[in-house]
């Protein structure tokens, strides 16, 4: 049987070391929903990495993702050009975001997590919620997808560390302002772990239900290997099938952080090895197709 060809159809840089990519994967969009993810293998020798579905098109049969270059696989992915093919794209995986008419929903995003937040914010708007999108970043250069967020029927507010875009400060200050002045019925936070933890602590104090999307290390993404286990409300959960979204007030962020550091030595070795081969790397179009 001929294997699918996961062809890269579009690609652009969004910020330093952050890229957006569109890939042909026609079986995924008909079943996809906000909050779900895909698992990508760039070449047949490579590892599988989870990336959130930033968008998808049923008409074009494509999926869209945004990724930050942090190690070997994301470095390989960043080298793929339009016309190259990825070895595998599997999905949609994970439970979709719970979307209903909550009332007022604050969607909080930081870093590359803004890409994962985008379909969630859009779905919350479509469900009839009053949505406030609160984004945080180091500076204007590192903020992504503000144009797409602006196009939503939502109130967009931005905070940057240096004040180069929006107000100067942390996104948690925007969350506190929203709690005090606006009274959200629900908060959804996606971004770096320290940000999700800080938002969850703040909203817990004020009794606002909060959902976070965990970026636990994953392998198969289907609940079989246990790599993605995390602690929620004192119970072990598998992020890939029980999540990736969980009640932020119940997540043990210490466990998450320590498990994210479990393979630092191996990742460094892999990066060093790949650095020697990176020049001229291509995923060998057709290898997976
Ligand atoms: C459900 C989910 C959705 C995600 N969505 C996005 C996204 O939309 N955009 C994005 O840039 N990143 C996303 N991530 C994180 C992304 O998967 C990792 O950055 C990527 O796997 C790193 O691989 P690497 O080889 O480049 O780096 P490595 O050098 O292997 O790792 C760098 C760091 O990334 C983390 N990591 C490594 N391997 C994995 C893995 N298999 N699964 C999860 N984390 C890992 C670890 O903290 C590690 O220290 C998501 C993670 C999860 C679990
Ligand atoms: S990634 Fe294997 S169980 Fe979740």
């Amino acid at each position: 049987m001929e294997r699918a060809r996961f062809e890269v159809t579009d690609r652009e840089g969004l910020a330093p070391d952050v890229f957006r990519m569109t890939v042909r994967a026609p079986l995924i969009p008909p079943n996809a929903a906000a909050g779900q993810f895909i698992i990508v293998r760039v070449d047949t020798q490579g590892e599988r990495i989870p990336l959130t579905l930033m968008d998808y098109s049923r008409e074009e049969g494509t999926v869209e993702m945004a990724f930050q270059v942090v190690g070997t696989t994301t470095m390989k992915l960043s080298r793929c050009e339009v016309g190259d093919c990825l070895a595998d794209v599997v999905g949609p995986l994970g439970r979709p975001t719970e979307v209903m008419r909550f009332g007022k929903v604050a969607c909080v995003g930081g870093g590359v997590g803004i890409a994962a937040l985008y379909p969630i914010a859009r779905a919350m708007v479509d469900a009839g919620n009053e949505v406030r999108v609160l984004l945080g970043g180091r500076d204007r250069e590192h903020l992504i997808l503000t144009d797409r967020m602006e196009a939503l029927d939502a109130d967009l507010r931005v905070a940057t560390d240096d004040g180069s875009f929006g107000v100067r400060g942390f996104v948690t200050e925007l969350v506190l302002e929203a709690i005090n002045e606006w009274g959200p019925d629900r908060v959804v936070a996606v971004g770096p772990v320290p940000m999700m933890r800080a938002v969850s602590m703040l909203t817990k104090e004020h009794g606002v239900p909060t959902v976070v999307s965990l970026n636990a290390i994953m392998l198969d993404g289907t609940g079989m290997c246990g790599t993605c286990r995390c602690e929620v409300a004192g119970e072990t959960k598998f992020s890939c099938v029980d999540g990736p979204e969980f009640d932020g007030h119940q997540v043990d962020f210490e466990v998450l952080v320590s498990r994210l550091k479990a393979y630092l030595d191996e990742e460094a070795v892999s990066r060093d090895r790949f650095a020697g081969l990176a020049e001229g790397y291509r995923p060998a179009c057709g290898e997976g197709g």
Side-chain angles (χ1 to χ4, degrees):
M1 197 175 84
E2 200 187 331
R3 290 189 64 186
R5 289 174 61 84
F6 301 102
E7 186 186 349
V8 177
T9 60
D10 193 20
R11 170 198 187 278
E12 67 168 331
L14 294 178
D17 284 334
V18 180
F19 297 85
R20 182 187 64 76
M21 193 173 265
T22 308
V23 177
R24 200 174 299 287
L27 295 181
I28 296 177
N31 304 304
Q36 291 189 294
F37 65 93
I38 51 179
I39 290 214
V40 171
R41 202 163 53 132
V42 182
D43 57 48
T44 51
Q45 275 82 48
E47 65 167 354
R48 296 165 167 79
I49 62 161
L51 295 172
T52 306
L53 275 169
M54 177 182 126
D55 210 347
Y56 44 85
S57 163
R58 294 189 175 132
E59 296 72 37
E60 308 280 325
T62 53
V63 294
E64 205 175 10
M65 53 202 162
F67 60 92
Q68 180 165 19
V69 176
V70 292
T72 304
T73 306
T74 45
M75 212 180 292
K76 283 180 175 179
L77 197 54
S78 72
R79 302 281 168 133
C80 297
E81 305 282 356
V82 171
D84 287 339
C85 292
L86 309 183
D88 301 302
V89 180
V90 176
L93 299 166
R95 289 170 182 265
T97 305
E98 187 186 2
V99 178
M100 60 169 80
R101 198 163 180 158
F102 294 106
K104 295 178 182 174
V105 180
C107 295
V108 188
V112 77
I114 294 172
L117 187 71
Y118 169 67
I120 298 173
R122 188 176 57 185
M124 290 295 183
V125 170
D126 291 347
N129 292 290
E130 192 184 326
V131 176
R132 202 180 266 201
V133 176
L134 309 175
L135 305 182
R138 205 187 317 168
D139 52 33
R140 175 185 278 272
E141 210 190 357
H142 287 87
L143 270 174
I144 62 167
L145 302 177
T146 49
D147 53 341
R148 290 210 194 187
M149 292 295 195
E150 262 165 13
L152 298 178
D153 186 12
D155 179 2
L156 173 65
R157 300 183 183 205
V158 178
T160 46
D161 299 357
D162 66 355
S164 54
F165 193 3
V167 299
R168 182 192 296 266
F170 295 127
V171 75
T172 40
E173 290 161 36
L174 297 179
V175 176
L176 185 59
E177 181 187 77
I179 291 171
N180 289 334
E181 294 174 2
W182 183 59
D185 299 295
R186 193 175 184 85
V187 169
V188 183
V190 192
V193 176
M195 182 276 260
M196 293 193 289
R197 176 166 36 192
V199 169
S200 298
M201 281 168 66
L202 190 60
T203 56
K204 191 174 185 178
E205 225 177 280
H206 291 83
V208 186
T210 297
V211 169
V212 293
S213 181
L214 301 190
N215 56 334
I217 292 182
M218 292 185 181
L219 203 56
D220 65 302
T222 59
M224 289 190 283
C225 69
T227 311
C228 67
R229 61 191 184 277
C230 55
E231 295 289 314
V232 183
E235 285 181 24
T236 299
K237 298 282 182 190
F238 287 179
S239 300
C240 65
V241 286
D242 299 323
E245 291 176 10
F246 293 100
D247 178 347
H249 300 166
Q250 304 282 350
V251 169
D252 187 329
F253 287 101
E254 298 303 322
V255 171
L256 177 67
V257 168
S258 95
R259 291 191 55 78
L260 281 171
K261 291 181 185 159
Y263 303 103
L264 288 181
D265 293 345
E266 291 83 354
E267 288 156 5
V269 169
S270 169
R271 269 196 299 278
D272 289 347
R273 277 201 196 133
F274 183 67
L277 307 168
E279 200 61 32
Y281 172 81
R282 273 284 182 283
C285 193
E287 182 187 28

